[in-house]
Amino acid sequence: MAFKEGFLWGGATAANQCEGAWNVDGRGPALTDVTTGGSVNSPRYVTFVDKDGKPGKIPAHGGVLPEGAKYAVLEDELYPNHDGIDFYHHYKEDIALFAEMGFKTFRMSISWSRLYPNGDELEPNPKGIEFYRNVFTELKKYNIEPLVTIWHFDTPLYLEEHYGGWKNRELISFYERFVKTCFTEFKGLVKYWLTFNEINNTVMFLDLFGGKASDEAYQNAYQHLHHQFVASARAVKIGHEIDSENQIGCMICGITFYPLTSDPKDILANRHTWEQNIFYCGDVQCKGEYGSYAKRLWKEHNVNLEITEQDVKDLKEGTVDIYTFSYYMSTIVTTHKVDEKVGGNFSAGAKNPYLTYSDWGWALDPDGLTYYLEMIYDRYHKPLMVVENGLGAFDKVEEDGSIHDPYRIEYFREHIKAMDTAIENGVDLIGFTPWGCIDLVSAGTGEMRKRYGFIYVDKHDDGTGTMKRSKKDSFEWYKKVIASNGKDI
Ligand code: P53
């Protein structure tokens, strides 16, 4: 096995999906707090009251709030992110379990609205800072290096409502204030940072799943992204100024795209899909400027971006130190009509006859991970980290409390082999943090029953559960993998 000495084995989570304590110690709400639970067949909804005070809901992906409506928590709805798995009150117990598995690193995110409840305050909430300092100190106790995502889909709700979210340039300065606080307050405790989780989702999810988005939707998405690129670049600069030890990365939702046929039109469409969905963001964040194809993408949807001279300078000066990404699946691109679609959530494309699919319709494709790693390393020559990967599955608790999850072990075994191959082939891969190392709320469907963890949490979709933690079979297996630095899989 080719994993280097000091390879960062660990696990990954996000604040809004695990912390719970959504309104505790001065935390303000985020969009996820007005988002209901869904399932593979039914979407999550965002809830609101309209201008006449009548309750209503819109689909979380692609829904548009009616004129004059306000986001609201409704009485007869369930909001899984409100409780998460209550990491807020269980972090010591959870970190002890991570340490038992031998984690070298732990990926987590900071809830923006825990530090700045509305997002536009001048001073942070001391209780929020105290919580994260306690978590980082606890990790240090076990020599676990925190890997901190600054923004993981959870812009404070107030900024969404009063400023219109990221399509408003003002968000850049609020984010800047937030990151300055993070870098200053947690200096010496945290060295690895990611500026925006799966930044490319904003444009990738526009038309990946069947429908065609409007030009206006593209305009907003590209302007939103531009503001996040500038915010990210400024964060990199600020982070380096505050502590030259800081290693700051981008985070891309890594999907490997394949053409369905050898029709040159499919090959070209596939290349263009990589450009829009994957390279567009990585190129700006790694190379400091838009790719040559960006003009074509904007033209296709009549997009006119507002880009200032200062923006161009910031992008150039704020390139990331490392490239990180999530990897769950590959997807098929074609210009041809297809009979059989995959179904499931986030996977409406053509079915790949060479692959099998998870219960949520996600293609299981370890070779796609090797492909992605090799392709991206060759493009940027920056250290890479796979900061999410894993199998969302139904787990069964046996009468004696044990949980047998050989399917998860098998999944990871194949993906670890895929990483090993890429390293053998020259890729500088420095870390691996499987997603939801402890069960948590799914981002896509809001479910608890879509479980990823080595650690099981007794929490269910109807809101019941004791929050008790227990080890699945994969827990001991992963412990062995880490202890042998990836040799004993
Ligand atoms: P869930 C879609 C496709 C690939 C990754 O996803 C995605 C999504 C959005 O759901 O998100 C990442 O929970 C994301 C995590 C998320 C994880 O993948 O839908 O960074 O927050 O939980 C897994 O199964």
Side-chain angles (χ1 to χ4, degrees), residues 268-296:
L268 195 60
N270 189 57
R271 181 182 173 88
H272 288 178
T273 302
W274 275 91
E275 288 172 347
Q276 177 183 304
N277 291 349
I278 305 293
F279 298 150
Y280 184 81
C281 297
D283 283 358
V284 176
Q285 294 187 286
C286 291
K287 298 177 173 180
E289 59 187 29
Y290 283 101
S292 54
Y293 51 83
K295 284 207 177 80
R296 174 182 59 75

PDB file of all heavy atoms in Angstrom, residues 268-296:
ATOM      1  N   LEU A 268     -18.051  15.320 -26.441  1.00  0.00           N
ATOM      2  CA  LEU A 268     -17.944  16.767 -26.258  1.00  0.00           C
ATOM      3  C   LEU A 268     -18.869  17.245 -25.123  1.00  0.00           C
ATOM      4  O   LEU A 268     -18.476  18.045 -24.266  1.00  0.00           O
ATOM      5  CB  LEU A 268     -18.293  17.476 -27.572  1.00  0.00           C
ATOM      6  CG  LEU A 268     -17.900  18.946 -27.656  1.00  0.00           C
ATOM      7  CD1 LEU A 268     -16.392  19.130 -27.492  1.00  0.00           C
ATOM      8  CD2 LEU A 268     -18.355  19.550 -28.985  1.00  0.00           C
ATOM      9  N   ALA A 269     -20.083  16.718 -25.117  1.00  0.00           N
ATOM     10  CA  ALA A 269     -21.029  17.099 -24.052  1.00  0.00           C
ATOM     11  C   ALA A 269     -20.458  16.718 -22.688  1.00  0.00           C
ATOM     12  O   ALA A 269     -20.606  17.449 -21.702  1.00  0.00           O
ATOM     13  CB  ALA A 269     -22.372  16.412 -24.277  1.00  0.00           C
ATOM     14  N   ASN A 270     -19.781  15.576 -22.635  1.00  0.00           N
ATOM     15  CA  ASN A 270     -19.193  15.132 -21.368  1.00  0.00           C
ATOM     16  C   ASN A 270     -18.097  16.092 -20.919  1.00  0.00           C
ATOM     17  O   ASN A 270     -18.037  16.492 -19.758  1.00  0.00           O
ATOM     18  CB  ASN A 270     -18.636  13.716 -21.526  1.00  0.00           C
ATOM     19  CG  ASN A 270     -18.207  13.136 -20.199  1.00  0.00           C
ATOM     20  OD1 ASN A 270     -19.006  13.050 -19.271  1.00  0.00           O
ATOM     21  ND2 ASN A 270     -16.941  12.778 -20.087  1.00  0.00           N
ATOM     22  N   ARG A 271     -17.270  16.492 -21.867  1.00  0.00           N
ATOM     23  CA  ARG A 271     -16.201  17.445 -21.537  1.00  0.00           C
ATOM     24  C   ARG A 271     -16.808  18.760 -21.001  1.00  0.00           C
ATOM     25  O   ARG A 271     -16.370  19.303 -19.999  1.00  0.00           O
ATOM     26  CB  ARG A 271     -15.346  17.723 -22.771  1.00  0.00           C
ATOM     27  CG  ARG A 271     -14.218  18.669 -22.463  1.00  0.00           C
ATOM     28  CD  ARG A 271     -13.362  19.018 -23.658  1.00  0.00           C
ATOM     29  NE  ARG A 271     -12.437  20.051 -23.228  1.00  0.00           N
ATOM     30  CZ  ARG A 271     -11.257  19.809 -22.671  1.00  0.00           C
ATOM     31  NH1 ARG A 271     -10.840  18.577 -22.517  1.00  0.00           N
ATOM     32  NH2 ARG A 271     -10.488  20.790 -22.256  1.00  0.00           N
ATOM     33  N   HIS A 272     -17.854  19.216 -21.677  1.00  0.00           N
ATOM     34  CA  HIS A 272     -18.488  20.459 -21.256  1.00  0.00           C
ATOM     35  C   HIS A 272     -19.149  20.330 -19.880  1.00  0.00           C
ATOM     36  O   HIS A 272     -19.211  21.290 -19.113  1.00  0.00           O
ATOM     37  CB  HIS A 272     -19.504  20.921 -22.312  1.00  0.00           C
ATOM     38  CG  HIS A 272     -18.839  21.433 -23.556  1.00  0.00           C
ATOM     39  ND1 HIS A 272     -19.526  21.863 -24.668  1.00  0.00           N
ATOM     40  CD2 HIS A 272     -17.519  21.594 -23.862  1.00  0.00           C
ATOM     41  CE1 HIS A 272     -18.669  22.255 -25.602  1.00  0.00           C
ATOM     42  NE2 HIS A 272     -17.454  22.097 -25.132  1.00  0.00           N
ATOM     43  N   THR A 273     -19.610  19.135 -19.582  1.00  0.00           N
ATOM     44  CA  THR A 273     -20.185  18.901 -18.252  1.00  0.00           C
ATOM     45  C   THR A 273     -19.104  19.003 -17.173  1.00  0.00           C
ATOM     46  O   THR A 273     -19.312  19.606 -16.119  1.00  0.00           O
ATOM     47  CB  THR A 273     -20.864  17.517 -18.205  1.00  0.00           C
ATOM     48  OG1 THR A 273     -21.874  17.487 -19.217  1.00  0.00           O
ATOM     49  CG2 THR A 273     -21.491  17.247 -16.856  1.00  0.00           C
ATOM     50  N   TRP A 274     -17.941  18.403 -17.450  1.00  0.00           N
ATOM     51  CA  TRP A 274     -16.811  18.541 -16.504  1.00  0.00           C
ATOM     52  C   TRP A 274     -16.491  20.019 -16.291  1.00  0.00           C
ATOM     53  O   TRP A 274     -16.238  20.453 -15.169  1.00  0.00           O
ATOM     54  CB  TRP A 274     -15.561  17.825 -17.035  1.00  0.00           C
ATOM     55  CG  TRP A 274     -15.509  16.364 -16.717  1.00  0.00           C
ATOM     56  CD1 TRP A 274     -15.978  15.336 -17.474  1.00  0.00           C
ATOM     57  CD2 TRP A 274     -14.950  15.754 -15.538  1.00  0.00           C
ATOM     58  NE1 TRP A 274     -15.740  14.136 -16.857  1.00  0.00           N
ATOM     59  CE2 TRP A 274     -15.103  14.364 -15.671  1.00  0.00           C
ATOM     60  CE3 TRP A 274     -14.322  16.256 -14.399  1.00  0.00           C
ATOM     61  CZ2 TRP A 274     -14.663  13.459 -14.697  1.00  0.00           C
ATOM     62  CZ3 TRP A 274     -13.878  15.356 -13.425  1.00  0.00           C
ATOM     63  CH2 TRP A 274     -14.054  13.974 -13.575  1.00  0.00           C
ATOM     64  N   GLU A 275     -16.506  20.783 -17.389  1.00  0.00           N
ATOM     65  CA  GLU A 275     -16.157  22.200 -17.269  1.00  0.00           C
ATOM     66  C   GLU A 275     -17.159  22.935 -16.387  1.00  0.00           C
ATOM     67  O   GLU A 275     -16.773  23.643 -15.452  1.00  0.00           O
ATOM     68  CB  GLU A 275     -16.077  22.836 -18.667  1.00  0.00           C
ATOM     69  CG  GLU A 275     -14.847  22.357 -19.425  1.00  0.00           C
ATOM     70  CD  GLU A 275     -14.800  22.804 -20.883  1.00  0.00           C
ATOM     71  OE1 GLU A 275     -15.827  23.283 -21.409  1.00  0.00           O
ATOM     72  OE2 GLU A 275     -13.734  22.643 -21.495  1.00  0.00           O
ATOM     73  N   GLN A 276     -18.438  22.774 -16.691  1.00  0.00           N
ATOM     74  CA  GLN A 276     -19.447  23.498 -15.902  1.00  0.00           C
ATOM     75  C   GLN A 276     -19.491  23.017 -14.451  1.00  0.00           C
ATOM     76  O   GLN A 276     -19.507  23.809 -13.520  1.00  0.00           O
ATOM     77  CB  GLN A 276     -20.845  23.350 -16.524  1.00  0.00           C
ATOM     78  CG  GLN A 276     -21.924  24.037 -15.667  1.00  0.00           C
ATOM     79  CD  GLN A 276     -23.331  23.849 -16.205  1.00  0.00           C
ATOM     80  OE1 GLN A 276     -23.615  24.183 -17.339  1.00  0.00           O
ATOM     81  NE2 GLN A 276     -24.206  23.321 -15.377  1.00  0.00           N
ATOM     82  N   ASN A 277     -19.499  21.717 -14.264  1.00  0.00           N
ATOM     83  CA  ASN A 277     -19.807  21.192 -12.932  1.00  0.00           C
ATOM     84  C   ASN A 277     -18.595  21.019 -12.023  1.00  0.00           C
ATOM     85  O   ASN A 277     -18.720  21.086 -10.809  1.00  0.00           O
ATOM     86  CB  ASN A 277     -20.521  19.844 -13.057  1.00  0.00           C
ATOM     87  CG  ASN A 277     -21.911  20.003 -13.634  1.00  0.00           C
ATOM     88  OD1 ASN A 277     -22.419  21.115 -13.744  1.00  0.00           O
ATOM     89  ND2 ASN A 277     -22.529  18.897 -14.011  1.00  0.00           N
ATOM     90  N   ILE A 278     -17.440  20.735 -12.607  1.00  0.00           N
ATOM     91  CA  ILE A 278     -16.273  20.421 -11.772  1.00  0.00           C
ATOM     92  C   ILE A 278     -15.147  21.446 -11.924  1.00  0.00           C
ATOM     93  O   ILE A 278     -14.678  22.014 -10.943  1.00  0.00           O
ATOM     94  CB  ILE A 278     -15.731  19.001 -12.102  1.00  0.00           C
ATOM     95  CG1 ILE A 278     -16.845  17.950 -11.976  1.00  0.00           C
ATOM     96  CG2 ILE A 278     -14.526  18.662 -11.225  1.00  0.00           C
ATOM     97  CD1 ILE A 278     -17.373  17.712 -10.571  1.00  0.00           C
ATOM     98  N   PHE A 279     -14.708  21.698 -13.169  1.00  0.00           N
ATOM     99  CA  PHE A 279     -13.522  22.550 -13.352  1.00  0.00           C
ATOM    100  C   PHE A 279     -13.796  24.027 -13.071  1.00  0.00           C
ATOM    101  O   PHE A 279     -12.901  24.749 -12.637  1.00  0.00           O
ATOM    102  CB  PHE A 279     -12.968  22.418 -14.780  1.00  0.00           C
ATOM    103  CG  PHE A 279     -12.506  21.031 -15.124  1.00  0.00           C
ATOM    104  CD1 PHE A 279     -12.573  20.579 -16.449  1.00  0.00           C
ATOM    105  CD2 PHE A 279     -11.988  20.179 -14.158  1.00  0.00           C
ATOM    106  CE1 PHE A 279     -12.135  19.294 -16.783  1.00  0.00           C
ATOM    107  CE2 PHE A 279     -11.553  18.894 -14.486  1.00  0.00           C
ATOM    108  CZ  PHE A 279     -11.633  18.453 -15.805  1.00  0.00           C
ATOM    109  N   TYR A 280     -15.011  24.471 -13.359  1.00  0.00           N
ATOM    110  CA  TYR A 280     -15.344  25.895 -13.236  1.00  0.00           C
ATOM    111  C   TYR A 280     -14.894  26.445 -11.878  1.00  0.00           C
ATOM    112  O   TYR A 280     -14.221  27.465 -11.806  1.00  0.00           O
ATOM    113  CB  TYR A 280     -16.854  26.069 -13.424  1.00  0.00           C
ATOM    114  CG  TYR A 280     -17.335  27.501 -13.430  1.00  0.00           C
ATOM    115  CD1 TYR A 280     -17.247  28.292 -14.571  1.00  0.00           C
ATOM    116  CD2 TYR A 280     -17.892  28.075 -12.282  1.00  0.00           C
ATOM    117  CE1 TYR A 280     -17.696  29.601 -14.587  1.00  0.00           C
ATOM    118  CE2 TYR A 280     -18.347  29.389 -12.281  1.00  0.00           C
ATOM    119  CZ  TYR A 280     -18.248  30.151 -13.437  1.00  0.00           C
ATOM    120  OH  TYR A 280     -18.693  31.451 -13.440  1.00  0.00           O
ATOM    121  N   CYS A 281     -15.258  25.751 -10.807  1.00  0.00           N
ATOM    122  CA  CYS A 281     -14.916  26.233  -9.462  1.00  0.00           C
ATOM    123  C   CYS A 281     -13.465  25.939  -9.116  1.00  0.00           C
ATOM    124  O   CYS A 281     -12.741  26.811  -8.625  1.00  0.00           O
ATOM    125  CB  CYS A 281     -15.827  25.591  -8.424  1.00  0.00           C
ATOM    126  SG  CYS A 281     -17.563  26.021  -8.644  1.00  0.00           S
ATOM    127  N   GLY A 282     -13.037  24.712  -9.368  1.00  0.00           N
ATOM    128  CA  GLY A 282     -11.660  24.331  -9.024  1.00  0.00           C
ATOM    129  C   GLY A 282     -10.640  25.219  -9.718  1.00  0.00           C
ATOM    130  O   GLY A 282      -9.637  25.607  -9.121  1.00  0.00           O
ATOM    131  N   ASP A 283     -10.891  25.562 -10.977  1.00  0.00           N
ATOM    132  CA  ASP A 283      -9.933  26.399 -11.718  1.00  0.00           C
ATOM    133  C   ASP A 283      -9.794  27.775 -11.072  1.00  0.00           C
ATOM    134  O   ASP A 283      -8.680  28.274 -10.889  1.00  0.00           O
ATOM    135  CB  ASP A 283     -10.375  26.561 -13.181  1.00  0.00           C
ATOM    136  CG  ASP A 283     -10.072  25.312 -14.013  1.00  0.00           C
ATOM    137  OD1 ASP A 283      -9.491  24.349 -13.454  1.00  0.00           O
ATOM    138  OD2 ASP A 283     -10.420  25.299 -15.218  1.00  0.00           O
ATOM    139  N   VAL A 284     -10.921  28.383 -10.723  1.00  0.00           N
ATOM    140  CA  VAL A 284     -10.844  29.718 -10.103  1.00  0.00           C
ATOM    141  C   VAL A 284     -10.110  29.624  -8.764  1.00  0.00           C
ATOM    142  O   VAL A 284      -9.234  30.431  -8.464  1.00  0.00           O
ATOM    143  CB  VAL A 284     -12.255  30.331  -9.904  1.00  0.00           C
ATOM    144  CG1 VAL A 284     -12.151  31.657  -9.176  1.00  0.00           C
ATOM    145  CG2 VAL A 284     -12.950  30.511 -11.238  1.00  0.00           C
ATOM    146  N   GLN A 285     -10.455  28.614  -7.981  1.00  0.00           N
ATOM    147  CA  GLN A 285      -9.872  28.544  -6.642  1.00  0.00           C
ATOM    148  C   GLN A 285      -8.411  28.063  -6.635  1.00  0.00           C
ATOM    149  O   GLN A 285      -7.650  28.439  -5.763  1.00  0.00           O
ATOM    150  CB  GLN A 285     -10.742  27.654  -5.740  1.00  0.00           C
ATOM    151  CG  GLN A 285     -12.118  28.296  -5.496  1.00  0.00           C
ATOM    152  CD  GLN A 285     -12.934  27.521  -4.485  1.00  0.00           C
ATOM    153  OE1 GLN A 285     -13.448  26.441  -4.787  1.00  0.00           O
ATOM    154  NE2 GLN A 285     -13.059  28.040  -3.269  1.00  0.00           N
ATOM    155  N   CYS A 286      -8.030  27.257  -7.616  1.00  0.00           N
ATOM    156  CA  CYS A 286      -6.654  26.750  -7.655  1.00  0.00           C
ATOM    157  C   CYS A 286      -5.738  27.598  -8.540  1.00  0.00           C
ATOM    158  O   CYS A 286      -4.557  27.733  -8.268  1.00  0.00           O
ATOM    159  CB  CYS A 286      -6.612  25.312  -8.172  1.00  0.00           C
ATOM    160  SG  CYS A 286      -7.329  24.133  -7.030  1.00  0.00           S
ATOM    161  N   LYS A 287      -6.284  28.141  -9.635  1.00  0.00           N
ATOM    162  CA  LYS A 287      -5.436  28.877 -10.579  1.00  0.00           C
ATOM    163  C   LYS A 287      -5.621  30.386 -10.464  1.00  0.00           C
ATOM    164  O   LYS A 287      -4.866  31.151 -11.066  1.00  0.00           O
ATOM    165  CB  LYS A 287      -5.752  28.457 -12.018  1.00  0.00           C
ATOM    166  CG  LYS A 287      -5.474  26.981 -12.312  1.00  0.00           C
ATOM    167  CD  LYS A 287      -5.889  26.683 -13.743  1.00  0.00           C
ATOM    168  CE  LYS A 287      -5.506  25.294 -14.192  1.00  0.00           C
ATOM    169  NZ  LYS A 287      -5.935  25.052 -15.582  1.00  0.00           N
ATOM    170  N   GLY A 288      -6.674  30.815  -9.766  1.00  0.00           N
ATOM    171  CA  GLY A 288      -6.863  32.250  -9.539  1.00  0.00           C
ATOM    172  C   GLY A 288      -7.496  32.994 -10.698  1.00  0.00           C
ATOM    173  O   GLY A 288      -7.499  34.221 -10.720  1.00  0.00           O
ATOM    174  N   GLU A 289      -8.048  32.266 -11.649  1.00  0.00           N
ATOM    175  CA  GLU A 289      -8.789  32.937 -12.720  1.00  0.00           C
ATOM    176  C   GLU A 289      -9.760  31.965 -13.388  1.00  0.00           C
ATOM    177  O   GLU A 289      -9.598  30.748 -13.288  1.00  0.00           O
ATOM    178  CB  GLU A 289      -7.845  33.536 -13.766  1.00  0.00           C
ATOM    179  CG  GLU A 289      -6.959  32.511 -14.423  1.00  0.00           C
ATOM    180  CD  GLU A 289      -5.902  33.134 -15.338  1.00  0.00           C
ATOM    181  OE1 GLU A 289      -5.486  34.278 -15.079  1.00  0.00           O
ATOM    182  OE2 GLU A 289      -5.503  32.444 -16.289  1.00  0.00           O
ATOM    183  N   TYR A 290     -10.749  32.537 -14.063  1.00  0.00           N
ATOM    184  CA  TYR A 290     -11.742  31.709 -14.746  1.00  0.00           C
ATOM    185  C   TYR A 290     -11.109  30.966 -15.910  1.00  0.00           C
ATOM    186  O   TYR A 290     -10.220  31.493 -16.588  1.00  0.00           O
ATOM    187  CB  TYR A 290     -12.897  32.583 -15.255  1.00  0.00           C
ATOM    188  CG  TYR A 290     -13.852  32.990 -14.154  1.00  0.00           C
ATOM    189  CD1 TYR A 290     -13.804  34.257 -13.577  1.00  0.00           C
ATOM    190  CD2 TYR A 290     -14.815  32.090 -13.682  1.00  0.00           C
ATOM    191  CE1 TYR A 290     -14.687  34.618 -12.557  1.00  0.00           C
ATOM    192  CE2 TYR A 290     -15.705  32.439 -12.673  1.00  0.00           C
ATOM    193  CZ  TYR A 290     -15.634  33.706 -12.109  1.00  0.00           C
ATOM    194  OH  TYR A 290     -16.513  34.050 -11.100  1.00  0.00           O
ATOM    195  N   GLY A 291     -11.564  29.742 -16.146  1.00  0.00           N
ATOM    196  CA  GLY A 291     -11.079  28.949 -17.268  1.00  0.00           C
ATOM    197  C   GLY A 291     -11.481  29.568 -18.601  1.00  0.00           C
ATOM    198  O   GLY A 291     -12.419  30.375 -18.663  1.00  0.00           O
ATOM    199  N   SER A 292     -10.790  29.157 -19.657  1.00  0.00           N
ATOM    200  CA  SER A 292     -11.048  29.737 -20.986  1.00  0.00           C
ATOM    201  C   SER A 292     -12.474  29.452 -21.461  1.00  0.00           C
ATOM    202  O   SER A 292     -13.034  30.191 -22.254  1.00  0.00           O
ATOM    203  CB  SER A 292     -10.056  29.149 -21.988  1.00  0.00           C
ATOM    204  OG  SER A 292     -10.132  27.737 -21.937  1.00  0.00           O
ATOM    205  N   TYR A 293     -13.071  28.372 -20.958  1.00  0.00           N
ATOM    206  CA  TYR A 293     -14.417  27.966 -21.383  1.00  0.00           C
ATOM    207  C   TYR A 293     -15.515  28.738 -20.657  1.00  0.00           C
ATOM    208  O   TYR A 293     -16.697  28.582 -20.974  1.00  0.00           O
ATOM    209  CB  TYR A 293     -14.596  26.461 -21.088  1.00  0.00           C
ATOM    210  CG  TYR A 293     -14.205  26.176 -19.657  1.00  0.00           C
ATOM    211  CD1 TYR A 293     -15.106  26.385 -18.621  1.00  0.00           C
ATOM    212  CD2 TYR A 293     -12.905  25.823 -19.341  1.00  0.00           C
ATOM    213  CE1 TYR A 293     -14.720  26.224 -17.313  1.00  0.00           C
ATOM    214  CE2 TYR A 293     -12.516  25.655 -18.032  1.00  0.00           C
ATOM    215  CZ  TYR A 293     -13.419  25.855 -17.020  1.00  0.00           C
ATOM    216  OH  TYR A 293     -13.039  25.719 -15.708  1.00  0.00           O
ATOM    217  N   ALA A 294     -15.143  29.541 -19.623  1.00  0.00           N
ATOM    218  CA  ALA A 294     -16.170  30.213 -18.809  1.00  0.00           C
ATOM    219  C   ALA A 294     -17.040  31.124 -19.682  1.00  0.00           C
ATOM    220  O   ALA A 294     -18.258  31.171 -19.526  1.00  0.00           O
ATOM    221  CB  ALA A 294     -15.522  31.007 -17.673  1.00  0.00           C
ATOM    222  N   LYS A 295     -16.391  31.802 -20.640  1.00  0.00           N
ATOM    223  CA  LYS A 295     -17.140  32.725 -21.520  1.00  0.00           C
ATOM    224  C   LYS A 295     -18.241  31.962 -22.267  1.00  0.00           C
ATOM    225  O   LYS A 295     -19.342  32.461 -22.436  1.00  0.00           O
ATOM    226  CB  LYS A 295     -16.193  33.374 -22.531  1.00  0.00           C
ATOM    227  CG  LYS A 295     -15.349  34.460 -21.916  1.00  0.00           C
ATOM    228  CD  LYS A 295     -14.935  35.489 -22.975  1.00  0.00           C
ATOM    229  CE  LYS A 295     -14.143  36.628 -22.364  1.00  0.00           C
ATOM    230  NZ  LYS A 295     -12.718  36.270 -22.142  1.00  0.00           N
ATOM    231  N   ARG A 296     -17.905  30.757 -22.719  1.00  0.00           N
ATOM    232  CA  ARG A 296     -18.908  29.949 -23.423  1.00  0.00           C
ATOM    233  C   ARG A 296     -20.070  29.605 -22.488  1.00  0.00           C
ATOM    234  O   ARG A 296     -21.239  29.717 -22.865  1.00  0.00           O
ATOM    235  CB  ARG A 296     -18.253  28.652 -23.933  1.00  0.00           C
ATOM    236  CG  ARG A 296     -19.251  27.681 -24.565  1.00  0.00           C
ATOM    237  CD  ARG A 296     -18.605  26.380 -25.036  1.00  0.00           C
ATOM    238  NE  ARG A 296     -17.943  25.643 -23.965  1.00  0.00           N
ATOM    239  CZ  ARG A 296     -18.597  24.940 -23.032  1.00  0.00           C
ATOM    240  NH1 ARG A 296     -19.909  24.880 -23.037  1.00  0.00           N
ATOM    241  NH2 ARG A 296     -17.929  24.294 -22.095  1.00  0.00           N
TER     242      ARG A 296
END
